[in-house]
Amino acid sequence: MEESKTMKVITARISSGLYEALEDYARQKESTKSEIINKVLKQYLLAQSGSEHSSQHDNDFDDIDSYYFKPIYALNDDMRRILIMLEQLAEHMTSDKDEQEQHKYAIEVLEKGYSSEYEEVLPHIVPELPTTITDEAQDIMSMFQDLLISYENLSADEKTSIPDINKTMLHCQGFDRQDPHEIRVSEYLKLLRQDERWQLPYDDMLKHSDNGNSHRKQLNQYRNMLKKHKSVRHRKSDYSSHLSRDEIMHITTL
């Protein structure tokens, strides 16, 4: 691993068994112990960061694969037995020769504990997305839906009086699919759209972005707008009422 000037050296005490396991794993992956420790720490901290993951973390966690996929380092014996039985069942359930060979290969890997091959025979999973993030994503969609509907209910003169830059901000501009955090939000919202939730703001987003890809980080901007939107809605006694022209201007002015 190429070390930069920002790399720091730390000293940690670990058990001899853990140290031997680390050496073995590094040898299997043809890597160094430092590389393994660095990767595992990144993945752990990302999983713990939740909604606190913001622009200040981006330089630290810039490897999208390390954020997006959770590697398989080890399985306990009971889990291996369960997986072997599932693979055996799947093998007997299919008549396709290629699929049977794949299941046989997976059974051998699991039976003999070839941990370096686990990722080849088991499905990838990603870190859980905390409810704080999914709730925020829905709040963003709710805000844009409110803006779009409220704007359509303005008079023609009120619409004309809103500057073009503010009209642009009525539309969600998508999410940066190269950013490890924003891509998770993007895919979550895509799932909701398949369930026919947030159709209006989501479909509008597709029209005002590269099919949902903003190609630049947008979440901080949306969060600033969301903070003002919640403040405006908190002051209104009737949430079902539309936003006024001045309220729309306030929310969409950065």
Side-chain angles (χ1 to χ4, degrees):
M1 178 174 63
E2 187 176 316
E3 295 194 355
S4 69
K5 294 180 180 179
T6 60
M7 285 290 184
K8 303 293 184 182
V9 177
I10 64 171
T11 302
R13 296 181 181 277
I14 61 176
S15 68
S16 58
L18 182 57
Y19 183 83
E20 291 173 3
L22 175 61
E23 279 196 321
D24 288 342
Y25 186 78
R27 193 179 305 112
Q28 291 174 20
K29 292 296 184 180
E30 297 182 352
S31 183
T32 67
K33 294 188 289 292
S34 293
E35 287 175 331
I36 300 300
I37 292 171
N38 189 56
K39 183 176 181 180
V40 172
L41 277 176
K42 278 186 178 182
Q43 290 159 348
Y44 176 79
L45 293 174
L46 280 166
Q48 299 302 313
S49 63
S51 62
E52 297 174 2
H53 179 84
S54 62
S55 58
Q56 67 182 6
H57 295 103
D58 292 342
N59 291 331
D60 295 329
F61 307 127
D62 54 3
D63 179 359
I64 192 168
D65 288 332
S66 69
Y67 183 80
Y68 200 64
F69 295 109
K70 294 187 74 172
I72 305 167
Y73 292 122
L75 299 169
N76 64 43
D77 293 345
D78 289 338
M79 181 59 68
R80 284 167 59 196
R81 290 188 180 96
I82 293 171
L83 291 171
I84 289 168
M85 287 188 290
L86 289 173
E87 290 289 350
Q88 290 172 334
L89 178 62
E91 179 192 354
H92 289 297
M93 292 293 290
T94 182
S95 58
D96 185 279
K97 296 298 182 182
D98 289 337
E99 289 185 11
Q100 288 178 346
E101 288 303 316
Q102 291 173 6
H103 292 305
K104 288 178 180 178
Y105 177 77
I107 291 168
E108 181 175 1
V109 166
L110 292 165
E111 284 180 340
K112 297 183 178 177
Y114 297 143
S115 58
S116 62
E117 301 301 312
Y118 287 168
E119 292 184 31
E120 297 297 321
V121 301
L122 297 176
H124 288 293
I125 60 171
V126 299
E128 291 181 339
L129 205 57
T131 55
T132 50
I133 296 179
T134 56
D135 288 349
E136 180 186 63
Q138 295 207 50
D139 285 345
I140 290 171
M141 288 290 102
S142 175
M143 173 186 68
F144 281 112
Q145 178 161 289
D146 196 12
L147 287 169
L148 290 169
I149 294 175
S150 295
Y151 175 79
E152 289 303 318
N153 279 272
L154 296 178
S155 68
D157 288 341
E158 286 177 319
K159 289 180 180 178
T160 302
S161 70
I162 296 179
D164 288 342
I165 184 63
N166 293 84
K167 289 179 181 177
T168 299
M169 301 307 298
L170 293 170
H171 311 281
C172 181
Q173 305 296 310
F175 299 87
D176 186 358
R177 293 188 63 81
Q178 293 303 311
D179 179 74
H181 182 60
E182 294 201 13
I183 190 174
R184 299 292 309 278
V185 175
S186 174
E187 294 192 346
Y188 171 66
L189 292 175
K190 182 179 180 180
L191 174 70
L192 296 187
R193 176 60 183 88
Q194 292 171 356
D195 193 37
E196 299 185 351
R197 285 181 275 175
W198 304 117
Q199 296 181 50
L200 172 63
Y202 188 88
D203 291 353
D204 183 74
M205 174 187 71
L206 297 182
K207 297 176 184 177
H208 291 84
S209 63
D210 181 9
N211 199 36
N213 192 349
S214 62
H215 298 289
R216 61 180 180 180
K217 296 176 184 177
Q218 293 288 97
L219 263 179
N220 284 340
Q221 177 176 290
Y222 298 156
R223 285 169 177 157
N224 290 333
M225 293 176 63
L226 188 59
K227 188 180 299 183
K228 290 189 284 186
H229 178 260
K230 287 184 175 181
S231 177
V232 167
R233 274 302 176 189
H234 182 71
R235 293 195 299 267
K236 294 175 79 70
S237 57
D238 182 9
Y239 193 88
S240 63
S241 63
H242 299 304
L243 299 169
S244 68
R245 181 264 182 196
D246 290 341
E247 289 169 336
I248 290 175
M249 283 291 298
H250 172 64
I251 295 168
T252 58
T253 300
L254 300 179

